[in-house]
Amino acid sequence: MVALRKAGVPEPNIWIDKLSGSNFDRPRYKRLLRKMKKDDLLYIKSIDRLGRNYGEILEQWRYLTKEKGIDIVVLDMPLLDTRRGKDLLGTFLSDIVLQVLSFAAENEHANIKHRQAEGIAAAKAKGVRFGRPPRPLPENFQSCYQRWKAGSLTGTAAARECGMPLATFRYRAKSYEKANVLP
């Protein structure tokens, strides 16, 4: 926001996308595309704010500049300013810089995902449990479970008596069996 304001972008023209830039299927981005017209100017803080997929960044860049006729300025990379160097050499240099930065953005995204997966695996190995802790079983769970196992009560009826959805009842029953809680 600060960089865009410093570049002179009026506040009503600043678009914030809260979703990940890992793809271009973002409602705010799509809405921005619909609003932009030929000869508009799009400021982007950095290329990874546009997206993080090498091929898609290049495709979107081409769509924006060639098909929609929009100029793009990447604030942290002055070489990526389509207003300048519209000759063959300028276009060539911009394309090279764009390809390098797009590759770097996708590579960094892949590295982040890999480090995240490693961190999750390490935490799980240490016994860290993710998600919300399960609710305690209702007092009548064991009797409902036993009647359900004996066939005198349907799963739906057992789940209803326990005050939980059928899928939850089955999941908790399976956990209950694995824990060998049965007398």
Side-chain angles (χ1 to χ4, degrees):
M1 294 286 293
V2 172
L4 292 171
R5 284 187 196 116
K6 194 184 276 187
V9 178
E11 195 79 29
N13 293 348
I14 295 177
W15 291 66
I16 299 172
D17 214 345
K18 301 269 184 183
L19 295 178
S20 166
S22 60
N23 66 51
F24 287 91
D25 189 24
R26 307 183 309 253
R28 295 281 296 171
Y29 179 72
K30 287 180 176 180
R31 189 168 170 211
L32 171 70
L33 287 183
R34 286 191 303 270
K35 290 233 179 232
M36 296 203 81
K37 303 175 292 301
K38 184 173 175 36
D39 297 327
D40 279 352
L41 178 59
L42 175 63
Y43 283 96
I44 302 169
K45 168 70 172 112
S46 62
I47 200 69
D48 67 338
R49 298 295 86 203
L50 178 61
R52 293 196 191 89
N53 178 294
Y54 176 76
E56 287 183 357
I57 291 172
L58 297 178
E59 183 182 318
Q60 285 298 306
W61 188 276
R62 186 197 57 73
Y63 172 73
L64 291 166
T65 58
K66 304 289 189 260
E67 290 184 33
K68 286 203 72 103
I70 295 167
D71 277 315
I72 302 174
V73 175
V74 179
L75 295 174
D76 69 354
M77 183 53 60
L79 284 174
L80 289 177
D81 183 342
T82 60
R83 298 173 301 176
R84 291 190 222 131
K86 292 205 182 230
D87 61 347
L88 186 59
L89 181 60
T91 302
F92 174 71
L93 290 174
S94 289
D95 286 351
I96 288 173
V97 171
L98 176 63
Q99 287 186 22
V100 169
L101 292 177
S102 299
F103 170 79
E106 181 171 343
N107 194 42
E108 179 59 18
H109 181 65
N111 287 339
I112 289 169
K113 298 283 266 184
H114 180 72
R115 287 191 297 266
Q116 180 185 31
E118 287 177 338
I120 290 170
K124 284 183 176 179
K126 289 180 183 176
V128 174
R129 290 180 47 103
F130 291 90
R132 183 173 38 182
R135 289 183 179 167
L137 290 173
E139 290 180 19
N140 64 341
F141 183 83
Q142 187 174 4
S143 68
C144 289
Y145 171 83
Q146 288 172 342
R147 290 185 292 152
W148 171 67
K149 273 307 225 188
S152 63
L153 190 62
T154 67
T156 304
R160 191 177 314 114
E161 281 187 34
C162 290
M164 58 180 67
L166 178 59
T168 303
F169 177 80
R170 287 182 177 152
Y171 174 78
R172 298 300 297 268
K174 190 183 286 187
S175 300
Y176 189 72
E177 290 168 358
K178 284 182 183 175
N180 292 323
V181 179
L182 297 174

